[in-house]
Amino acid sequence: MARGSTPTVVPAGSCHIMSANIDDDGAASLSHRMEPPTGEQPPMEMTTDMKPEEMTHRPLDQLKQMDYCLDSNPSWGAAIVLGFQNFILCLGTSVMIPTILVPLMGGNAHDKAKVVQTMLLVTGINTTLQTLFGTRLPTIIGGSYAFIIPVMSIISDPSLMQITDDHIRFIMTMRAIQGALIISSCIQIILGYSKLWGICSRFFSPLGMVPVVALAGLGLFERGFPVIGTCVEVGLPMLILLVALSQYLKHVQMWHSRILERFSVLISIAVVWAYAHILTVSGAYKHASQLTELNCRTDHANLITAVPWISVPYPLQWGAPTFSADHSFGMMAAVVVSLIESTGAFQAAARLASATPPPPFVLSRGIGWQGIALLLNGLFGTLSGSTVSVENVGLLGATRIGSRIVVQISAGFMIFFAILGRFGALFASIPFTLFAATYCVLFGYVGAAGLSFMQFTNMNSMRNLFIIGTSLFLGFSIPEYFSGFTMSNGHGPAHTGAGWFNDLVNTIFSSPPTVGFIISLVLDNTLEVTKKAEDSGMYWWARFRTFGVDSRTVEFYSLPFNLNRFFPPSQAG
């Protein structure tokens, strides 16, 4: 549907696909036509619009090869297994973050198990709230690595490091992290519920979102094959089997369903996990390094014996949070990074769930609820703030199922296994290398979803080529510099006497999507602005900026239980 077209009424509950460049009279036209220089006769092929049959790949608002989109659901049996697959996938981050941080805080295996339980429970709660009342996109709101830098800064605080008793130091450090998370959550709560982020999003164009979404996936390359390299005998078979099942054998049907494609992650993890367990019990890693054991062994997590059978994490379980201005300012940088990364991930989720681009009021609503998620992280004590799980967004594309109910079922599994700790700990013993192998595919899907926004832009424009190329290159290059500098020197490039300033700079410029966002947004809105409307693809998204102009927006993003009566979109952003 092009500019000036009227909304089309479509049946609810279906993955209806509409071409983005169909005029009112039904004729397809090129979105960007090259104008000949003044005084020259244009070639014959430039004088007329292309015929519809000559356009083999039209720009589409929705992916048409998805089996189930946002509001269409598979059978209950398939949805439950798919939800369990999402739960297994999110375990990688839920286990790895506490594994990195808890020992540095002075915690033991029991403390780590309790933090993992807490993170799973809060992830389940936040995912349920986001899918019901936030963006309503099928996104899991899990732990974020963006918070590691400010958390490490709190851990190394001299006032905490001087505590000699490890358990007391762990508790006091946890309470300091909780206080910083609670204070910094106000940023997203204010930006979301005040509609400020929705106003800002009106400056986002398809061109500006290309680097952000692409870097949200491709910028995580360090969690892929570099981790596989630490345990090649387990990671490489996992990667090969996953690609074989999801791509080469995807048309094989069992019980009238493409089981190998839809459950490729679950099947691959189960098979290679069993193989890794055989290697573990046979003594293959008896004399291996600590890093190899962490990534290869199935019994190295030490969670099964450390966690009770039944345990319910609750707010303030570690005691009353403590508050420090220095810690809070440092944590705010991670909250800003989480805000930008989630915005890109929301756009990718909408694309891979075969939904239309989320309107500004939906992004505001989602960011507001993500602020609530950060508040819950602080109250419960998860060691990390929340962001959209990029790997689970990629799973939407791998399975071709973007159903919201699948992610909500997954949230139910998280809450269930967080309470029944021993069962959840069993699955948490999956070697991290297996997750790294899945990331090689799933992060790629998210990156490709970002690149697919280029179809709405004029890629024959030198302005556009400069903006995309520069944003992508610096989005990789600057964080790589910050990462390499930190590895070599033990601290980031920003190393002044003000700890909060160091955390602010080092956190923001260590995030590829954040760097890409800053550069692309500035360039797109300052460079040859007279050409922005024509070249950046803004008019493709124009009809989604107002609720009700496109009937699909109403269908995908309306609140449940008829809550739009009390929170009308016109007042929500």
Side-chain angles (χ1 to χ4, degrees):
M1 189 184 299
R3 289 175 292 179
S5 58
T6 57
T8 303
V9 179
V10 293
S14 60
C15 289
H16 40 278
I17 311 296
M18 298 174 64
S19 176
N21 61 336
I22 303 299
D23 294 331
D24 292 332
D25 57 1
S29 62
L30 283 175
S31 58
H32 302 288
R33 291 188 294 273
M34 184 182 296
E35 296 295 334
T38 305
E40 295 184 14
Q41 181 66 29
M44 182 62 67
E45 61 271 19
M46 293 184 184
T47 58
T48 59
D49 291 341
M50 235 183 217
K51 297 179 180 179
E53 60 270 17
E54 294 175 335
M55 293 189 66
T56 57
H57 303 290
R58 302 175 184 175
L60 292 176
D61 295 326
Q62 297 172 255
L63 295 176
K64 62 182 180 181
Q65 293 182 333
M66 297 294 290
D67 293 332
Y68 295 93
C69 62
L70 188 61
D71 53 359
S72 59
N73 306 319
S75 65
W76 277 107
I80 291 173
V81 180
L82 287 165
F84 184 72
Q85 182 172 241
N86 273 275
F87 160 72
I88 291 293
L89 187 60
C90 80
L91 281 174
T93 300
S94 299
V95 174
M96 185 51 63
I97 291 178
T99 298
I100 295 172
L101 297 177
V102 169
L104 300 176
M105 300 164 60
N108 53 28
H110 175 74
D111 296 323
K112 182 175 74 171
K114 192 173 181 180
V115 173
V116 172
Q117 276 187 281
T118 304
M119 183 172 287
L120 278 178
L121 177 69
V122 175
T123 298
I125 295 173
N126 290 336
T127 299
T128 302
L129 293 174
Q130 187 66 245
T131 54
L132 281 177
F133 309 115
T135 60
R136 304 212 39 148
L137 290 166
T139 51
I140 288 178
I141 310 300
S144 171
Y145 287 91
F147 290 81
I148 286 184
I149 292 178
V151 168
M152 290 287 289
S153 179
I154 295 175
I155 292 173
S156 60
D157 190 298
S159 63
L160 296 171
M161 291 295 291
Q162 67 183 5
I163 301 175
T164 56
D165 186 285
D166 284 345
H167 182 67
I168 295 178
R169 179 161 64 90
F170 170 78
I171 294 296
M172 297 303 295
T173 305
M174 174 64 80
R175 292 166 63 181
I177 295 171
Q178 287 183 263
L181 283 171
I182 291 172
I183 294 297
S184 59
S185 67
C186 297
I187 293 179
Q188 291 195 8
I189 292 175
I190 293 173
L191 285 176
Y193 293 123
S194 68
K195 302 181 289 184
L196 284 175
W197 193 243
I199 295 173
C200 293
S201 69
R202 295 179 180 274
F203 294 95
F204 305 165
S205 66
L207 176 69
M209 283 292 103
V210 169
V212 182
V213 182
L215 290 168
L218 302 180
L220 301 173
F221 64 91
E222 290 185 345
R223 297 184 213 165
F225 206 86
V227 179
I228 292 178
T230 62
C231 188
V232 176
E233 65 272 23
V234 172
L236 196 57
M238 175 68 192
L239 177 59
I240 294 172
L241 182 60
L242 177 61
V243 172
L245 294 180
S246 64
Q247 301 301 319
Y248 291 98
L249 300 177
K250 63 182 179 181
H251 296 298
V252 176
Q253 292 198 4
M254 300 178 184
W255 300 288
H256 307 290
S257 178
R258 294 196 299 271
I259 289 180
L260 296 183
E261 178 188 32
R262 291 185 180 178
F263 308 111
S264 56
V265 171
L266 193 60
I267 296 172
S268 301
I269 288 180
V271 171
V272 182
W273 185 22
Y275 161 65
H277 188 65
I278 293 173
L279 292 178
T280 299
V281 298
S282 65
Y285 304 112
K286 278 186 178 180
H287 305 291
S289 66
Q290 184 177 2
L291 180 62
T292 300
E293 288 188 352
L294 178 64
N295 289 289
C296 296
R297 295 183 67 97
T298 59
D299 59 354
H300 194 68
N302 296 325
L303 291 176
I304 297 178
T305 57
V307 71
W309 283 102
I310 298 178
S311 176
V312 182
Y314 54 91
L316 307 182
Q317 59 187 331
W318 314 101
T322 58
F323 301 95
S324 166
D326 193 43
H327 296 163
S328 299
F329 276 114
M331 194 69 74
M332 287 178 184
V335 173
V336 172
V337 170
S338 170
L339 167 72
I340 295 171
E341 290 180 349
S342 294
T343 299
F346 283 141
Q347 296 283 1
R351 185 79 179 144
L352 292 175
S354 195
T356 52
F361 77 90
V362 170
L363 288 177
S364 277
R365 200 169 66 192
I367 293 303
W369 278 104
Q370 187 162 303
I372 299 296
L374 286 168
L375 178 62
L376 293 177
N377 288 136
L379 291 174
F380 279 84
T382 62
L383 276 188
S384 171
S386 292
T387 191
V388 176
S389 173
V390 177
E391 55 267 34
N392 289 91
V393 172
L395 190 60
L396 302 176
T399 59
R400 291 202 282 180
I401 295 178
S403 172
R404 182 189 298 120
I405 193 68
V406 168
V407 172
Q408 292 171 338
I409 292 173
S410 175
F413 277 116
M414 296 173 203
I415 296 173
F416 176 80
F417 285 114
I419 295 174
L420 296 180
R422 284 285 176 93
F423 293 102
L426 173 65
F427 299 113
S429 66
I430 299 172
F432 188 70
T433 308
L434 272 64
F435 295 109
T438 65
Y439 296 164
C440 293
V441 174
L442 303 182
F443 289 165
Y445 267 110
V446 176
L451 296 177
S452 73
F453 288 134
M454 288 193 291
Q455 67 180 306
F456 303 114
T457 68
N458 178 12
M459 292 312 296
N460 292 315
S461 165
M462 295 303 295
R463 171 188 184 272
N464 288 7
L465 294 179
F466 172 78
I467 292 174
I468 291 180
T470 303
S471 301
L472 284 174
F473 184 84
L474 292 179
F476 282 115
S477 187
I478 293 177
E480 183 64 20
Y481 164 72
F482 272 73
S483 175
F485 190 99
T486 303
M487 291 291 291
S488 301
N489 299 275
H491 58 79
H495 188 59
T496 67
W500 65 269
F501 177 79
N502 300 337
D503 292 341
L504 179 70
V505 175
N506 293 330
T507 300
I508 288 178
F509 290 100
S510 294
S511 167
T514 305
V515 174
F517 173 83
I518 294 172
I519 296 173
S520 65
L521 187 67
V522 170
L523 292 178
D524 191 30
N525 289 279
T526 59
L527 182 63
E528 299 183 64
V529 291
T530 56
K531 296 183 179 180
K532 178 182 177 180
E534 177 184 355
D535 289 347
S536 65
M538 286 287 282
Y539 56 85
W540 293 125
W541 285 2
R543 65 184 180 281
F544 303 117
R545 300 189 186 279
T546 304
F547 190 75
V549 172
D550 191 292
S551 59
R552 295 169 295 171
T553 302
V554 178
E555 178 182 342
F556 291 140
Y557 299 112
S558 291
L559 291 172
F561 317 122
N562 205 20
L563 288 176
N564 278 2
R565 292 182 305 168
F566 308 103
F567 305 100
S570 60
Q571 298 177 14

